[in-house]
Amino acid sequence: MSNEKFKIGNLSGKGLIIAAAASIAVVAAAGFYSYSRISDKLNAEIIGENRDTLSADGVSDGNGTDLNAPVDAAQTDVVKRETTVTVTEKEPAESAVATTEAPKADEAAASQTVQTEPFPTTMVRPLNGEVLNDFSAGELVKSKTLNVWKTHDGVDIAGAMDEKVKSMSGGTVTKVYEDQMMGACVIIDHGNGFEGYYCNLSKDIPVSEGQSVSAGTVIGAVGNTAQNEISEAPHLHFAIKKNGEWIDPIALISGEGS
């Protein structure tokens, strides 16, 4: 009798466990069913609300833009921003290495001052006489007429009265005048900075200012008009300036003072 009760009790305990498990399964099934119903309802509502955003070509983002459109499709309504890029050119760096290349021959020749002959090859003595008084080159010499020490800036070439005086080279007569101390004079621009002074001439002078002359052209005659050399024998006082400085005329016409 007692064993039968024990078996019944055990069966009753196992039955309770089975019943509880079954209840849990029923509750879980009911919950899953309710969840599925609720989920389906929510999806239906979402789809219903967004049905107006669906297009025949694809899905819209709600603003009319097709989300399924190709990413590289041309856009016509995009505002482009203009961008100005300023490019600053770099100045070439200065070479730190100095050139050691020697200048070319033609460049060196071009950089040199062109040397010109002081006079044409044709040159004559104005008067073929003895030199009475030399060029003093800035040194003081005693004047026979004035009896004083002074420089003698030309040469005195002896000649007979009225003997013809010639231009030593080509040039232009720039001045014909009578000086109180040097008498009747003619100045000729011989070019290249050279000026010829022909003094103590007779007053009858055959050339005029502005006249062109050649080497050997007669420009006057020996006279006795220079008051500061009146004590000397008849002669031509002949002097030359080069670029404004007195030089030795005999050295020039002999080719030694060019």
Side-chain angles (χ1 to χ4, degrees):
M1 186 74 176
S2 59
N3 290 332
E4 292 179 355
K5 290 181 179 180
F6 177 76
K7 291 178 180 179
I8 295 172
N10 286 338
L11 292 173
S12 298
K14 292 179 178 180
L16 289 174
I17 294 172
I18 293 171
S23 297
I24 292 173
V26 170
V27 171
F32 177 76
Y33 176 76
S34 298
Y35 171 79
S36 299
R37 292 290 303 274
I38 293 172
S39 176
D40 292 341
K41 186 177 181 180
L42 289 175
N43 288 335
E45 290 177 357
I46 293 172
I47 293 172
E49 290 176 357
N50 294 333
R51 185 174 291 122
D52 58 343
T53 64
L54 297 176
S55 64
D57 296 332
V59 180
S60 172
D61 64 353
N63 294 322
T65 303
D66 188 355
L67 299 179
N68 289 332
V71 294
D72 59 348
Q75 300 295 319
T76 59
D77 57 348
V78 178
V79 179
K80 296 181 179 180
R81 296 183 179 179
E82 295 183 358
T83 303
T84 303
V85 179
T86 303
V87 179
T88 303
E89 294 184 359
K90 295 183 179 181
E91 296 182 357
E94 294 182 357
S95 175
V97 181
T99 178
T100 58
E101 183 180 357
K104 296 180 180 179
D106 54 348
E107 294 178 354
S111 65
Q112 295 178 353
T113 303
V114 177
Q115 300 295 328
T116 57
E117 295 182 2
F119 283 97
T121 54
T122 303
M123 188 177 297
V124 300
R125 285 176 65 105
L127 197 63
N128 292 319
E130 180 187 357
V131 176
L132 301 176
N133 295 300
D134 295 320
F135 174 68
S136 71
E139 297 293 331
L140 298 177
V141 294
K142 192 171 185 179
S143 169
K144 295 180 180 178
T145 301
L146 302 177
N147 199 30
V148 296
W149 292 86
K150 60 188 294 292
T151 60
H152 193 246
D153 298 323
V155 294
D156 295 335
I157 303 175
M161 289 291 294
D162 297 326
E163 184 177 350
K164 293 178 181 179
V165 175
K166 304 172 184 178
S167 173
M168 72 170 184
S169 68
T172 303
V173 177
T174 57
K175 191 173 183 180
V176 177
Y177 66 106
E178 188 171 345
D179 183 84
Q180 182 177 1
M181 300 301 293
M182 296 304 301
C185 300
V186 173
I187 299 177
I188 299 176
D189 181 1
H190 292 290
N192 297 316
F194 292 91
E195 284 185 315
Y197 289 74
Y198 304 79
C199 303
N200 197 32
L201 300 175
S202 65
K203 293 184 179 181
D204 185 13
I205 296 177
V207 295
S208 57
E209 294 180 4
Q211 180 179 337
S212 295
V213 295
S214 301
T217 299
V218 176
I219 61 168
V222 175
N224 197 24
T225 56
Q227 296 300 311
N228 65 344
E229 294 182 353
I230 196 71
S231 299
E232 303 287 347
H235 65 275
L236 166 69
H237 179 86
F238 177 49
I240 292 288
K241 275 186 178 180
K242 179 180 180 181
N243 298 324
E245 300 292 334
W246 297 112
I247 64 172
D248 186 355
I250 297 300
L252 177 64
I253 61 179
S254 65
E256 299 174 0
S258 59

